[in-house]
């Protein structure tokens, strides 16, 4: 597999890197060994002197110290004038450090910062893509509003740069400019729109990021790029994947109908499908329901699935959330294993993943139940992780596994970590209320805990028991009595208050004990905490109403104490209670209802998970993690009831005639192979079987309008074929060959086109219509009067590409229809051979040095070491002439560009083993780098 | 995306700050310090914090906090993963990730941070791409640099940035071509008081060290790939081939890397190679307690267990330990209350035992936690992943190949 062929062979071949690598000779700065002996004064004054000296090494040393200061957060802004002078330095490291400084302080010293701008503007035109990119990076990072127009211009230019790396940088610059000046939004959106069309995997992630930041609501920009993004996804770098997946999740929720069957609630009876490992099958689904998934929806699900195996946890999580929000219910399960796997990762990763699992496990127990043991708490876990695991275990509890879980909980209660032990008791309480079979067991267990040595455990148990008893108060007077006995030993206020409340609430069930407790409380009233005092007042009131004979005096005593309490809450409560229960002449009608007010049956508390309604946030987001809406959070919309027009995602270049006006006639669609043109040369050679394979794959892609060629799996192609038949599409398959130059004009490249009518009726008056760019010079073929079905005709035409690899676009018209055709030439085809002697060659080469020379060391494939094979390979790539050579290890080729006639000299010097030095001399540096890349590929490949 | 990064040491000093957008005052860290204070143990600091205007996402690694400031919605894992990648990169460059090392190389670290993010979005995180842009320091290079004035910073775009094998740079050359693979399996287990297995599973990882010239294309196949339940790959592995043929086909990165992580399917019962008999009790009456631990081999299939180590986290109330070990040595750290018993090789004839008394404060609560680490070299458990062959395409030479198997204790814990 060659390196430039698509790596994962998923996603279209166009994802292959398209731009050339440029290399410029490294000029190493010269300097004396001065730095070694520089003194160590840490004064800024001496830094200034060093910066103004003539010695590179001194300057570098100074800059390093300054950057050190910045890193430590110390101010060094007063050095700005001295530093900015060095922005044009030749020394690359010095320059970089100056950049760092500029970006940090330019905002504070705007006027001075302007001095550096011209340097960047110059660098933006540098032939080295790395320098262009870093100039743009710094220029856009300088937050000086005055240069907004310059930035805008630079971004626009960079967005059309040949190097994908520079285009990537421009996508980043868009966000920076937007935050500096939001008024530029409209213009920036135009650039984003353009960059979204980019086919490079390098650019995709960054531009989607820019999209998300600048115009996340312009979903319409995505339509045309949707399929491309899906197909490229596997080969995008991991950070870009995260951003793209999250954007596509949002997109899909607005464009497709819900794959979930009626009612979003999950039917537990369906559990069988849960464990069905083959969740990919569509059969099941289509049989059961009338719902048919949009092929684009399926495409997204299918193309994201392999990413579950990513080593990047953020990618795995984002795929998991995508499945959670978009996949049919029975397919969501495939993410489980991967999520559980992430639990082996770093502590912080575990935290986030567990949070998300907690939310998921509330709605879908079955997903994680088989992995229950993975959530067992280890004593080494951090507290927040323990609590989350506990939460999940509680969510997973059901009749079948509750005994295992409770046994597990028992060990947790004994933990040294008291906060965790308390949380476990709460969890037991929740299990007890959720699963009625075990309520009694839990209650008994909790009562046992009341005699625990640890106070927090006891207190928590009391609180939970209180809640449990409320749910079924009838049969538990024994427990209340038991608690009353323990009362003296319990000191935690919350627990005491809870017991008192229980006494009051169920005082009729413990008629003997309750008054006694009240008696004790009357004694200690003044020493109690406020919350206990309030409950004492409550208890007194309730007893007064039910058993006034025994407790009248006690109650009055307590009410008197309360009246003079320091806390106004307690004073208020006391007054209120007194008016309510003790009848006197002033008290009104309320008195009669005192009993009904105080002893009303109270609804039992519902013990709920803290993650209950977290699913209102998209999983995996910051908002979900902090459980509140973070700045810039984009809501996930509900599924639309009716899917919006699917055709918006069809890409025009491939499918030009999809406008409804022509719908009365049968569709004619040109599926063009042209973007992938097979030039004459390449066809002749037996060379790259690889590239041919690739191209056939690509053509398959362009031919299927569903855009799901990527994997080329049988499934997808057959599907799309049938789809085509269904839509009664006709297909013309033009093929094209080119000859070096056209016979009519020496400035043109000849292109041979085979037109095949694959529709079922004949096509008439085939000719060339509008072309773009407007000035495009094409020598047209004569109009073809008529082309019968299944017939082919070969025509030749001439196109002036003006020495650029930009595609030539024109309309191919028939009587009724027009089709857009785009021809992009391979760089080698823009040349014509030139004959010269070896002497001439060396002479010309001598004139084209420096900037005009591009070279690379390559490792030749074994098959390509003979001179014959080399010639064959080179000639297959570029249309150049062989220059006879006197040396055996030297191969020379010469050519001229077709339009401008600039010389292009290729020389190949064989070295020991299989390495070789490949040099291209020409003034067309862009061409040189592309040619170099192509040659390199051809020669390194067997 | 990521707005700023602060590196904070154990005692709460900020010793490096980097801003990718406008400068944020370091006072934003006060919210973090507050949470840090509350958490007592640095491990317990919540990774995500909310402050009135910012969100703080932090990781704790190598006794350092990497604290990032976020202003708008972003996937928290994205940030966490990135921060770990920063720590990995520093480790990769300088051999360790510690305050001292970072302070010594502050300019290089700063330059690295500059390259890794642009406007808060990751730009270059592949180690080999970074290494072409900013060369890692070596003694030889720093001497040469001072003499010649050349720099550590490359001025051309790293080849990896543009290629679609960004993890490998072009033009790698070795005189000895070798490829080594370590198949390391870790047993994660929780044993309860009586020694029964509560939970056990095997997690594996294949660590590779590949030093091959050129652009080799490797294929690694296994004898028993059915064993694998769940896997995650280095980006170099071609997923399609794995899905269809169950082989790992990849163009390897240069040097050391983790090729694959896997989980052995849970249908197979995990055999725990050792057993632990332990009793620990604290007397109600006096300020002391007793401890008795014996460890013996179980299901090791004739292989020796090496590097046995038992770590016991004692309750806070335990003041000192007075023990005797029949084999190995023990240490008790009074401040952290951790007892470490280093046993070494397990001798099946004479089982190692540690017993003695513990002096405690009167109030004793909670039970100690045991954590054991052990290593079984060359031990092939029944369900061990086995490599069947390694093939190389694309290059002519014959590389030296090697595979090593290792079974270790992962998160191995005994409950009390």
């Amino acid at each position: 597999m060659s390196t430039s062929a698509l790596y994962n062979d998923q996603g279209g071949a166009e994802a292959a890197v398209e731009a050339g690598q440029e290399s410029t000779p490294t000029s190493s700065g010269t300097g004396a060994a001065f730095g070694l002996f520089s003194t160590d004064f840490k004064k800024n004054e001496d830094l200034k002197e060093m910066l103004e000296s003539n010695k590179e090494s001194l300057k570098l040393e100074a800059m390093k110290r300054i950057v050190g200061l910045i890193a430590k957060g110390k101010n060094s802004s007063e050095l700005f004038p001295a530093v900015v002078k060095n922005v044009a330095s030749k020394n690359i490291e010095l320059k970089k450090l100056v950049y760092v400084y500029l970006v940090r302080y330019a905002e504070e010293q705007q006027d001075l910062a302007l001095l550096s701008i011209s340097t960047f503007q110059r660098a933006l035109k540098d032939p080295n893509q790395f320098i262009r990119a870093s100039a743009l990076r710094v220029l856009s990072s300088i937050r000086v509003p005055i240069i907004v127009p310059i930035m805008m211009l630079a971004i626009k230019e960079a967005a059309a740069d040949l190097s994908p790396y520079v285009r990537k940088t421009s996508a980043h610059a868009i966000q920076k400019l937007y935050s500096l000046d939001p008024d530029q939004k409209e213009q920036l959106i135009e650039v984003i729109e353009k960059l979204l069309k980019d086919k490079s995997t390098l650019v995709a992630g960054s531009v989607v990021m820019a999209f998300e930041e600048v115009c996340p609501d312009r979903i319409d920009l995505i339509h045309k790029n949707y399929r491309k993004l899906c197909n490229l996804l596997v080969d995008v770098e991991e950070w870009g994947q995260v951003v793209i997946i999250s954007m596509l999740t949002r997109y899909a929720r607005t464009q497709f109908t819900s794959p979930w069957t009626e009612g979003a609630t999950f039917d537990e009876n369906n559990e069988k499908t849960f464990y069905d490992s083959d969740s990919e099958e569509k059969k099941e689904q289509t049989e059961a329901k009338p719902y048919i998934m949009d092929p684009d929806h399926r495409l997204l699900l299918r193309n994201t699935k392999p990413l579950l195996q990513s080593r990047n946890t953020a990618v795995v999580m984002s795929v998991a959330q995508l499945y959670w929000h978009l996949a049919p219910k029975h397919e969501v399960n495939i993410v489980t294993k991967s999520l559980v796997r992430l639990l082996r990762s770093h502590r912080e990763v575990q935290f986030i993943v567990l949070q998300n699992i907690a939310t998921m496990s509330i709605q879908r127990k079955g997903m994680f139940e088989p992995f229950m043991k993975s959530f067992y708490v280890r004593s080494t876990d951090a507290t927040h992780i323990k609590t989350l695991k506990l939460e999940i275990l509680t969510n997973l509890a059901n009749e079948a596994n509750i005994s295992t879980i409770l046994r597990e909980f028992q060990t947790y209660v004994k933990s040294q970590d008291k906060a965790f032990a308390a949380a476990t008791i709460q969890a037991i309480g929740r299990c007890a209320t959720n699963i009625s079979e075990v309520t009694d067991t839990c209650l008994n267990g909790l009562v046992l805990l009341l005699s625990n040595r640890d106070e927090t455990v006891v207190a928590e148990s009391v609180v939970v028991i209180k809640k449990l008893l409320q749910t079924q108060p009838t049969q538990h007077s024994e427990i209340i009595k038991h608690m009353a006995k323990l009362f003296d030993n319990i000191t935690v206020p919350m627990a005491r208050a809870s017991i008192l409340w229980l006494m009051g609430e169920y005082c009729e069930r413990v008629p003997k004990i309750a008054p006694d407790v009240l008696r004790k409380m009357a004694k200690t009233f003044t020493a109690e905490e406020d919350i206990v005092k309030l409950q004492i007042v409550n208890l007194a009131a309730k007893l007064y109403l039910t058993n006034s004979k025994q407790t009248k005096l006690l109650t009055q005593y307590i009410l008197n104490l309360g009246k003079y309490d320091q806390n106004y809450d307690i004073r208020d409560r006391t007054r209120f209670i007194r008016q309510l229960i003790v009848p006197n002449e002033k008290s009104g009608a309320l008195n009669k209802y005192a009993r009904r007010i105080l002893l009303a049956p109270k609804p039992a508390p519902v013990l709920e998970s803290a993650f209950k309604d977290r699913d209102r946030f998209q999983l995996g987001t910051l908002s979900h993690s902090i459980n509140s809406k973070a700045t810039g959070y984009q809501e996930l919309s509900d599924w639309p009831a009716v899917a919006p027009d699917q055709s918006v995602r069809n890409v025009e270049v491939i499918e030009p005639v999809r406008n409804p006006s022509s719908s009365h006639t049968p569709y004619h669609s040109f599926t063009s192979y042209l973007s992938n043109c097979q030039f004459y040369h390449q066809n002749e050679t037996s060379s790259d079987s690889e590239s041919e394979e690739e191209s056939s794959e690509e053509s398959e892609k362009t031919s299927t309008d569903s855009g799901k060629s990527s994997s080329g799996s049988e499934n997808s192609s057959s599907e799309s074929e049938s789809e085509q038949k269904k839509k009664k599409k006709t297909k013309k398959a033009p093929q094209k060959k080119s000859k070096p130059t056209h016979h009519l004009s020496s400035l043109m490249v000849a292109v041979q086109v085979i037109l095949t009518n694959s529709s079922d009726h004949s096509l008439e008056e085939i000719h060339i219509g509008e072309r773009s760019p407007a000035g495009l010079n094409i020598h047209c073929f004569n109009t073809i009067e008529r082309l019968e079905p299944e017939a082919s005709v070969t025509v030749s035409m001439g196109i002036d590409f003006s020495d650029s690899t930009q595609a030539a676009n024109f309309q191919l018209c028939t009587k009724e229809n027009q089709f857009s055709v785009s021809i992009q030439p391979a760089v080698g085809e823009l040349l014509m051979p030139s004959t010269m002697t070896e002497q001439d060659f060396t002479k010309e080469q001598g004139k084209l040095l420096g900037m005009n020379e591009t070279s690379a060391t390559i490792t030749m494939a074994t098959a390509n070491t003979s001179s014959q094979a080399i010639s064959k390979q080179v000639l297959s790539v570029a249309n150049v002439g062989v220059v006879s050579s006197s040396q055996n290890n030297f191969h020379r080729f010469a050519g001229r560009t077709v339009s401008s006639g600039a010389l292009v000299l290729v020389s190949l010097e064989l070295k020991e083993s299989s390495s070789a030095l490949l040099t291209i001399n020409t003034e067309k540096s862009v061409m040189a780098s592309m040619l170099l890349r192509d040659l390199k590929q051809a020669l390194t490949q067997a | 995306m990521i707005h700023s990064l602060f590196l904070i040491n154990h005692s709460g000093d900020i010793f490096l700050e980097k801003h990718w957008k406008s400068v944020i005052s370091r006072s934003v860290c006060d919210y973090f310090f507050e949470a840090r204070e509350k958490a007592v143990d640095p491990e317990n600091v919540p990774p995500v914090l909310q402050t009135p205007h910012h969100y703080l996402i932090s990781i704790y690694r190598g006794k350092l906090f990497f604290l990032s400031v976020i202003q708008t919605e972003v996937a928290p894992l994205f940030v966490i993963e990135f921060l770990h990648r920063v720590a990995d990169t520093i480790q990769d460059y300088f051999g360790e990730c510690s305050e001292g090392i970072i302070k010594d190389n502050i300019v290089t670290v700063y330059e690295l941070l500059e390259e890794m993010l642009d406007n808060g979005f990751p730009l270059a995180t592949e180690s080999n791409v970074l290494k072409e842009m900013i060369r890692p320091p070596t003694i030889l290079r720093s001497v040469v640099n001072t003499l010649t004035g050349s720099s550590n910073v490359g001025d051309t775009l790293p080849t990896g940035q543009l290629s679609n094998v960004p993890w490998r740079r072009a033009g790698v050359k070795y005189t000895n071509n070798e490829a080594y693979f370590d198949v390391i399996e870790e047993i994660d287990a929780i044993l309860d008081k009586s020694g029964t297995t509560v939970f056990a599973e095997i997690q594996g990882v294949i660590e590779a060290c590949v030093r091959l010239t050129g652009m080799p294309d490797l294929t690694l196949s296994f004898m028993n790939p059915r064993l694998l339940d769940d896997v995650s790959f280095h980006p170099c592995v071609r997923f399609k081939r794995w899905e269809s043929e169950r082989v790992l086909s990849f163009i390897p990165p240069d040097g050391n890397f983790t090729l694959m992580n896997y989980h052995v399917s849970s249908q197979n019962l995990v055999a725990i190679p050792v057993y632990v008999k332990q009793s620990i009790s604290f007397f109600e009456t006096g300020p002391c307690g007793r401890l008795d631990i014996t460890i013996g081999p179980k299901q090791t299939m004739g292989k020796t267990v090496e590097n046995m180590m038992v770590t016991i986290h004692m309750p806070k109330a335990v003041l000192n330990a007075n023990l005797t070990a029949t084999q190995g040595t023990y240490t008790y750290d009074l401040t952290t209350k951790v007892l470490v018993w280093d046993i070494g090789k397990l001798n099946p004839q004479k089982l190692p035992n540690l017993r003695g008394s513990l002096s405690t404060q009167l109030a004793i609560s909670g039970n100690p936690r045991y954590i054991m680490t052990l290593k079984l070299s060359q031990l092939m458990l029944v369900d061990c992943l086995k490599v069947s062959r390694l093939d190389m395409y694309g290059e002519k030479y014959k590389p030296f190949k090697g595979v090593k198997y290792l079974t270790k204790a992962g998160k191995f814990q005994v409950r009390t």
Side-chain angles (χ1 to χ4, degrees), chain A residues 3 17 313 344 347 379, chain B residues 43 73 81 162 164 188 369:
Chain A
T3 53
V17 180
T313 56
R344 283 275 295 180
R347 187 179 59 93
S379 51
Chain B
E43 299 240 311
E73 170 67 53
E81 178 81 27
L162 281 180
N164 44 11
D188 285 5
R369 311 180 294 193

Side-chain angles (χ1 to χ4, degrees), chain A residues 85-100:
Chain A
K85 279 182 210 156
N86 293 308
V87 72
S89 165
K90 287 251 163 36
N91 183 320
I92 189 90
E93 186 169 19
L94 180 61
K95 192 145 97 177
K96 271 199 164 173
L97 294 173
V98 174
Y99 284 2
V100 168

Side-chain angles (χ1 to χ4, degrees), chain A residues 3 7 17 71-72 137 176 238 309 313 337 344 347-348 378-379 408 416 622-623 631 862, chain B residues 17 26 43 60 73 81 85 114 118 125 162 164 188 229 233 236 251 367 369 396 411 415:
Chain A
T3 53
Y7 196 73
V17 180
K72 287 179 195 122
R137 251 184 92 183
K176 299 183 209 167
E238 41 195 357
Q309 257 62 49
T313 56
K337 266 184 194 168
R344 283 275 295 180
R347 187 179 59 93
E348 297 84 6
R378 297 166 188 281
S379 51
E408 190 63 20
Q416 285 183 56
L622 180 63
S623 304
T631 330
T862 28
Chain B
E17 62 177 72
R26 47 167 74 187
E43 299 240 311
Y60 181 66
E73 170 67 53
E81 178 81 27
R85 208 60 76 80
E114 178 79 26
D118 182 15
T125 48
L162 281 180
N164 44 11
D188 285 5
D229 182 37
F233 299 121
C236 69
I251 294 176
N367 286 314
R369 311 180 294 193
K396 288 177 294 180
K411 296 173 175 173
R415 283 179 175 164

Side-chain angles (χ1 to χ4, degrees), chain A residues 802-803 852 854 897 900 902-904 922-929:
Chain A
S802 326
D803 290 352
N852 297 326
T854 317
T897 59
S900 62
L903 263 182
V904 178
T922 179
E923 52 196 46
K924 304 261 172 192
S925 57
V926 179
M927 245 176 151
S929 61

